[in-house]
Amino acid sequence: MNLALSDEQAMVRDMVRRFLADRYDATTMAKGPMSSDDWRALGELGLFALLMPEQAGGLGGGAVEVMIISQELGRALAITPLAEAILLCGRALAADQAVGGWTDRLMQGDALLAFARGGEVVDGRLSGLADIVRDGVNADAFVVETEAGALLLVDVQDSRIRRIPVRLVDGSMAANVRFDAALAQPLTAPASLWAEAHTLAGLSIIAELVGAMSTLLDLTVDYVKQRHQFGKPIASFQVVQHRCARMYTWLEQSRSLLLKAAMVGEKERTRAVTTARAYIGDTALKLAEEAVQLHGGMGVTNELAVGRGLRRVLLLSRLHGGGIAARSALAA
């Protein structure tokens, strides 16, 4: 397996890294969701088009591109709707020419779509409740997977939609969404495309976690070198060295599983992503907790990036059932 990035992929990585470095540092990362202006700027750079299928007017980027971009977002602890808005909702719309306007706006960063589960359809109208819809407060439309498995597009302009804001642990906003006979447009995404969308969204989440782990480890190593106790840096204490070494091992094992998930063939990717989620979800949270503990009492506050990073990792590690759901899927 060739683990090296192509020249084009390396250029994408460097471009995203520079973009985020201009906007995030240890004092600002994970302080809140990415601004709409910055999200739109990413669209103008072509990142969202890169991740969309060619049939939707995108550039047809695959799993490696998803990994590269998501990992950089994770390194900056940037709070974005990439996994669900672009990789889930965007690909659900990809096969429908009738919703081309939405896909164009999505790729440009001008529209935000949120993914919701729940409800049932009667005579073309959707009724029911969807709990904890990420980015549901600010979404311009919802891609809804009903209890029966149907995919629908619902515009928020419909007055029969009610949204109750819910603040999540990382500071981002979700919503409990009530559909009261809201007008819904059926989507015709084939099962294979929808399954691929879920796999790529899962890959994006674990790539963000690996990126976050890298940043939290770097911040921790820098801190223990500077923090003095008994007249010497605590990095000189063997127990601290052992804990940092264990964190490094967790990171490298997670990075290896991520690389495998991104670079295996399509037929093996779903299982590889599920395997990676089973390990990385829990391990990222352990690393974040270690980072906080090594920072002492200040580590749990919003004053330090590690405290905010812990909350971001906590959310990402629990999305779509987290490691528990992944291990159940593997066992089944």
Side-chain angles (χ1 to χ4, degrees), residues 9 16-17 34 41 43 118 135 139 147 165 190 201 209 230 262 287 289 329:
Q9 290 166 342
V16 178
R17 187 172 294 181
M34 178 179 283
D135 304 295
E147 295 172 3
L209 283 169
F230 307 112
L287 185 147
E289 290 170 345

Side-chain angles (χ1 to χ4, degrees), residues 4-329:
L5 299 179
S6 68
D7 291 342
E8 292 79 6
Q9 290 166 342
M11 287 175 60
V12 170
R13 179 200 61 198
D14 294 342
M15 177 181 68
V16 178
R17 187 172 294 181
R18 287 194 300 270
F19 178 92
L20 295 170
D22 290 340
R23 290 159 174 81
Y24 294 99
D25 58 25
T27 64
T28 58
M29 56 177 54
K31 273 203 167 180
M34 178 179 283
S35 70
S36 57
D37 288 341
D38 286 345
W39 181 253
R40 193 175 298 109
L42 285 176
E44 292 171 356
L45 286 173
L47 289 187
F48 306 148
L50 174 63
L51 299 180
M52 288 286 283
E54 293 180 357
Q55 66 205 73
L59 300 177
V64 175
E65 286 73 24
V66 170
M67 176 190 69
I68 292 169
I69 294 171
S70 301
Q71 194 167 356
E72 292 304 319
L73 292 173
R75 280 168 52 91
L77 298 179
I79 301 174
T80 77
L82 181 77
E84 293 183 351
I86 304 298
L87 298 172
L88 264 184
C89 296
R91 286 175 179 264
L93 305 181
D96 286 87
Q97 298 298 324
V99 295
W102 280 110
T103 55
D104 290 343
R105 292 177 61 196
L106 189 66
M107 287 189 288
Q108 293 163 8
D110 290 331
L112 177 61
L113 272 68
F115 174 64
R117 279 194 178 97
E120 59 180 358
V121 181
V122 178
D123 297 328
R125 295 189 176 274
L126 175 66
S127 296
L129 177 66
D131 289 325
I132 313 298
V133 178
R134 291 180 67 208
D135 304 295
V137 170
N138 300 315
D140 299 296
F142 297 100
V143 170
V144 182
E145 185 175 29
T146 68
E147 295 172 3
L151 280 180
L152 309 167
L153 177 66
V154 182
D155 195 320
V156 299
Q157 298 300 320
D158 194 318
S159 61
R160 289 156 292 196
I161 299 174
R162 289 185 294 155
R163 297 187 274 191
I164 302 173
V166 178
R167 185 173 295 278
L168 301 179
V169 67
D170 66 347
S172 60
M173 294 300 297
N176 293 331
V177 185
R178 168 72 67 179
F179 301 101
D180 296 315
L183 188 62
Q185 180 178 350
L187 298 175
T188 60
S192 59
L193 181 64
W194 187 231
E196 179 189 21
H198 274 283
T199 298
L200 291 177
L203 178 66
S204 175
I205 291 168
I206 60 175
E208 278 199 60
L209 283 169
V210 171
M213 291 169 72
S214 175
T215 291
L216 292 175
L217 177 58
D218 289 345
L219 290 171
T220 301
V221 170
D222 288 343
Y223 179 79
V224 298
K225 289 178 179 178
Q226 298 171 20
R227 173 68 188 273
H228 281 65
Q229 196 66 266
F230 307 112
K232 60 178 67 175
I234 63 174
S236 64
F237 302 155
Q238 191 175 59
V239 65
V240 173
Q241 294 173 358
H242 286 174
R243 292 175 74 172
C244 289
R246 184 165 61 239
M247 293 168 69
Y248 178 77
T249 301
W250 289 339
L251 171 61
E252 290 305 308
Q253 289 173 330
S254 297
R255 185 175 284 137
S256 295
L257 286 168
L258 172 63
L259 282 170
K260 179 180 178 181
M263 295 184 171
V264 295
E266 289 186 12
K267 292 182 179 179
E268 297 86 20
R269 181 162 295 122
T270 297
R271 182 175 180 83
V273 169
T274 305
T275 302
R277 282 180 56 211
Y279 178 80
I280 295 172
D282 294 341
T283 303
L285 187 56
K286 287 196 298 183
L287 185 147
E289 290 170 345
E290 279 284 285
V292 166
Q293 289 183 15
L294 287 169
H295 277 77
M298 284 291 289
V300 299
T301 70
N302 268 333
E303 296 298 317
L304 297 186
V306 290
R308 302 189 300 269
L310 169 62
R311 287 181 275 280
R312 179 61 177 165
V313 168
L314 178 59
L315 177 70
L316 290 173
S317 66
R318 294 298 183 261
L319 288 178
H320 308 300
I324 294 175
R327 286 188 290 274
S328 297

